Amino acid sequence: MAVPRITREELQQRLAGDAPPVVVDARLKYPYEHSTVRLPGAVRVLGDAYLPPIPPGTEVVVYD
């Protein structure tokens, strides 16, 4: 299944909208620890960890 990509600008618009997406930070340990970039409110997921419950119909944006 193809997964659509969005730009930073599209993500900003969606986050500012009425139903913001859940943002998941799926970067590997080294890139995460050595980056100065963190998206506010992003959920950090490592390996096979589970996401917290997400209401049905909620958009999810994953970045790495």
Side-chain angles (χ1 to χ4, degrees):
M1 167 163 59
V3 177
R5 292 177 177 247
I6 62 172
T7 64
R8 283 183 246 179
E9 293 78 20
E10 289 172 315
L11 178 58
Q12 277 183 314
Q13 289 174 348
R14 292 177 188 194
L15 288 171
D18 293 336
V22 172
V23 179
V24 177
D25 184 339
R27 291 179 286 177
L28 296 173
K29 182 179 178 182
Y30 184 85
Y32 177 80
E33 290 177 351
H34 292 87
S35 174
T36 59
V37 176
R38 302 280 191 280
L39 293 183
V43 178
R44 178 86 173 114
V45 176
L46 295 171
D48 59 356
Y50 290 100
L51 284 172
I54 298 173
T58 302
E59 181 180 22
V60 177
V61 175
V62 179
Y63 78 99
D64 111 7

